[in-house]
Amino acid sequence: MATTNLPLNPFVSNRYHFGMLLGVADLDTEQGYHRGKGWLHNAWMHGPGAVWGLAVEVTPDNNEVVVHPGLALDGNGRELHVGERLCVDLGRWFAERRPEDLDVTEDADGSVRFTVHVRLCARQCLDRPVPAVSETCSGSDDGTAYSRTVEQALPELAAGPAPERPLGPYPRLRHLSGQIGTVAPGDLLNALRRAAALDTIDLAPEAGPGALFPVDGDGCVVLAQVDAHLQPGQDRWTVLADTTVDNAVRPAHVRTATIQELLFAPPAAQPFLATAPEPPRARDADLTGTHLRVTFTRPLNPATVSPEAFTVTALRATGWTTVAVTEAVPDDDGTAVTLTLRAAPRVRPVRVVVSGAGPAPLLSADGRPLSGSEADAVDVASGADAALLITATEGRS
């Protein structure tokens, strides 16, 4: 089948009138208008990514890289549909079509190792030739012409690992999403609107303002990375069993309904999110002489435990007085810290403030900052101080 380019013009449409004579250009305009509108929307509003399926695997028995059925959008908004398995002979590709920039390592036994990534690319081909008048009103010479255009999605191998996926456009919005915990709720909507407005002003097609689509080039979608190991033979290269495929390098689209549920469903309806580890919290405190022991719900990172992370005060007749902390020693399991005070408080209550915010908060072993006390059950991603009150003259509060 011969290749072709499909008509594409999302901003020019026919204006039909009674008795209008229609020709090929008019029909191309009709198709190009609707096709262009759809592709333009897909490219700018969704971007490239897999929609469903398209798993990639290597079958050493057949020497092939296999792309399974599925659907994707490419960088130019085109729908890439694979209706049946598509295969690339990896050994033959290496022998006949490997690019010059492919980095190949040779083992002592003569086998070779290299990394490629699998891309899915749009191709348009002509099909179904039918009799046609090749020269209108010029002798009426009969000929044939293709009557169908077939949109195909074909895999290809490209040298090197899959390209790193940058965060992409909208830097202000991405910054805002990471700072939501520090933005006052009343200001968040205005901040969101402002960031979105400024980010969209900065967007432009890679090929310049005159281009229709965001990417400049073929817009192929990366599906997987293949770390290949091939063994030479008499007449071909054979794929070895330790060749691996990573399908997680691809961009992917998530249904809007799913995004809505992730944003607004209660935590109980989100078992994956509900299993995320909770932040550490201060549990309780007890005071005996000059030793004050504070316990926590989760092990702490010992590097963050210091006297500066604790503030101890005692209520005297003249008001709250600071009691100096000279040493802070975590237990072996990290769930408790024993403070040594410069002097034993002889009055009650005694208040202990444990740092979860500020420049030097206590962190859990997995890096989450202290989020208040267990009794308050707060969950502040950026951390919150915990305040514990000791009212008994000796022992636990």
Side-chain angles (χ1 to χ4, degrees):
M1 293 188 292
T3 59
T4 186
N5 291 320
L6 296 174
L8 190 70
N9 194 334
F11 303 113
V12 176
S13 62
N14 289 321
R15 182 181 181 273
Y16 298 108
H17 56 82
F18 184 77
M20 178 178 176
L21 179 63
L22 297 178
V24 172
D26 301 302
L27 299 178
D28 280 349
T29 297
E30 179 70 16
Q31 285 195 351
Y33 176 75
H34 296 288
R35 180 183 295 114
K37 289 291 188 187
W39 288 2
L40 201 64
H41 173 90
N42 288 343
W44 284 103
M45 300 305 293
H46 300 296
V51 178
W52 68 266
L54 298 176
V56 177
E57 68 170 336
V58 171
T59 56
D61 292 343
N62 298 323
N63 230 38
E64 293 175 336
V65 175
V66 181
V67 177
H68 289 270
L71 179 69
L73 299 177
D74 76 356
N76 293 313
R78 296 170 292 194
E79 300 88 356
L80 305 180
H81 178 249
V82 176
E84 58 185 21
R85 289 166 30 120
L86 300 176
C87 305
V88 177
D89 188 314
L90 185 56
R92 184 174 178 181
W93 176 88
F94 180 75
E96 301 176 3
R97 302 181 60 184
R98 66 187 184 198
E100 293 182 359
D101 59 344
L102 182 65
D103 187 9
V104 180
T105 301
E106 184 172 350
D107 291 349
D109 61 358
S111 64
V112 296
R113 300 178 186 269
F114 57 88
T115 298
V116 294
H117 58 279
V118 183
R119 309 195 313 160
L120 193 65
C121 301
R123 299 288 183 266
Q124 294 86 38
C125 301
L126 298 173
D127 194 18
R128 196 173 179 267
V130 296
V133 178
S134 58
E135 296 290 339
T136 304
C137 300
S138 300
S140 297
D141 294 333
D142 290 336
T144 60
Y146 292 101
S147 63
R148 299 288 187 271
T149 300
V150 180
E151 297 182 35
Q152 296 180 314
L154 299 178
E156 64 177 38
L157 303 181
E164 292 187 9
R165 292 171 54 192
L167 286 179
Y170 306 101
R172 297 176 184 85
L173 282 174
R174 295 178 185 276
H175 177 75
L176 178 63
S177 68
Q179 300 294 321
I180 285 177
T182 63
V183 178
D187 297 333
L188 183 56
L189 180 58
N190 288 333
L192 174 67
R193 289 171 173 171
R194 179 176 177 80
L198 297 176
D199 279 346
T200 53
I201 288 174
D202 291 343
L203 286 178
E206 290 179 355
L212 288 176
F213 300 106
V215 302
D216 182 22
D218 55 25
C220 297
V221 179
V222 173
L223 294 183
Q225 177 174 304
V226 178
D227 292 316
H229 189 191
L230 271 60
Q231 180 71 47
Q234 283 188 333
D235 56 354
R236 67 169 187 167
W237 290 89
T238 302
V239 178
L240 298 180
D242 60 345
T243 295
T244 60
V245 179
D246 183 2
N247 281 281
V249 299
R250 67 179 63 188
H253 289 293
V254 178
R255 291 180 180 179
T256 55
T258 301
I259 296 174
Q260 292 169 358
E261 292 172 353
L262 291 173
L263 288 174
F264 297 109
Q270 303 178 33
F272 176 78
L273 297 179
T275 58
E278 292 186 352
R281 298 186 177 96
R283 175 164 283 164
D284 55 27
D286 63 80
L287 175 60
T288 304
T290 59
H291 293 95
L292 194 159
R293 190 171 187 269
V294 184
T295 60
F296 299 87
T297 58
R298 297 188 59 206
L300 300 177
N301 180 344
T304 65
V305 177
S306 68
E308 291 73 26
F310 301 85
T311 302
V312 180
T313 56
L315 183 58
R316 304 182 186 279
T318 56
W320 291 98
T321 302
T322 300
V323 181
V325 179
T326 61
E327 188 178 28
V329 180
D331 287 5
D332 291 340
D333 64 359
T335 59
V337 176
T338 300
L339 307 179
T340 300
L341 308 180
R342 188 181 300 278
R346 299 185 181 279
V347 296
R348 298 293 185 270
V350 171
R351 187 173 180 84
V352 185
V353 177
V354 188
S355 295
L362 289 178
L363 302 181
S364 64
D366 59 1
R368 298 198 64 180
L370 184 77
S371 189
S373 66
E374 184 181 37
D376 297 331
V378 296
D379 192 348
V380 181
S382 56
D385 293 345
L388 303 173
L389 198 64
I390 301 173
T391 56
T393 56
E394 288 290 344
R396 202 169 186 170
S397 63

